[in-house]
Amino acid sequence: MIDKEIIKIASNTENHGVLNNHTHSSKLKNAICGDEMKIYLIIKDDKILNFKYECESCIYCQASVSLLSRNIKNKPVENVKSFAKHAKNYFERNNKSFDKEWKEFDKIMTKNNISRKECLLLPVNTALDALNKKSL
C-alpha cells in the first residue's frame, strides 16, 4: 500500500517541464525498473536558480523529484552535493534525520520505503550528475 503522503507530494508538479535556457542537465535511467529522469538546472555563481524536470517514473520517483525541485532552488551547489551524499547513505545509516533545510525528505526516505530506495534516489543521482557537468 502506497503511503498517502507519497501521493500528496508526488501530485505537486509545479516544477515539471523543460528549461530551454538551462546551464546544466542530465538524463538517467533506473536499470532495475526502467524509470527515466531528466533534470534541467540554471546555475549562476555556484547557486541553483531554477530546476525543472521531466520523468517517466513510479510515484516514489515522482515524489522524490517533486520535493527536490522545491527544496533545491536558491541553494549553493555545494549544499546540494552534500545533501546528495547524505541521501545516498541514508538507508544504510539507521535513518539519521536530514538537516533542517532538507527535513521534508524524512517523510519519504523511511525504512518502510527501503525497497524503493533506487526510485527515491534516481532524482538525487540525476541532479548530482547534472551538477557535475555543463550542458552542451
Side-chain angles (χ1 to χ4, degrees):
M1 170 110 171
I2 296 176
D3 182 339
K4 282 188 175 80
E5 189 70 24
I6 294 268
I7 295 167
K8 184 176 153 201
I9 293 167
S11 68
N12 182 332
T13 58
E14 66 185 85
N15 294 309
H16 186 269
V18 179
L19 269 177
N20 292 323
N21 58 339
H22 59 270
T23 58
H24 295 68
S25 67
S26 179
K27 176 183 171 185
L28 293 182
K29 190 172 190 167
N30 183 336
I32 297 167
C33 65
D35 282 359
E36 275 191 12
M37 180 66 50
K38 292 180 194 170
I39 287 180
Y40 309 94
L41 302 168
I42 294 177
I43 299 174
K44 189 173 181 189
D45 299 326
D46 282 328
K47 198 172 196 180
I48 296 164
L49 301 182
N50 206 347
F51 178 112
K52 293 279 186 188
Y53 66 90
E54 294 180 296
C55 59
E56 290 179 29
S57 62
C58 70
I59 194 120
Y60 292 91
C61 199
Q62 290 169 29
S64 182
V65 77
S66 178
L67 269 187
L68 188 63
S69 71
R70 286 180 276 146
N71 284 282
I72 202 171
K73 289 181 185 173
N74 299 311
K75 289 225 173 37
V77 168
E78 284 310 308
N79 285 32
V80 176
K81 286 182 176 180
S82 172
F83 161 74
K85 188 189 282 185
H86 183 83
K88 286 180 173 197
N89 296 324
Y90 193 69
F91 290 99
E92 281 82 37
R93 289 206 186 136
N94 295 326
N95 279 1
K96 182 186 174 288
S97 207
F98 284 101
D99 295 339
K100 194 170 104 186
E101 66 179 325
W102 304 101
K103 199 84 183 137
E104 279 191 278
F105 282 87
D106 285 337
K107 295 176 185 173
I108 63 171
M109 295 199 180
T110 65
K111 283 185 175 151
N112 294 345
N113 294 333
I114 194 159
S115 65
R116 303 313 294 258
K117 174 182 156 184
E118 296 305 318
C119 306
L120 291 164
L121 290 177
L122 182 62
V124 175
N125 292 332
T126 309
L128 196 57
D129 189 57
L131 290 172
N132 289 323
K133 65 184 185 190
K134 280 216 174 228
S135 289
L136 301 172

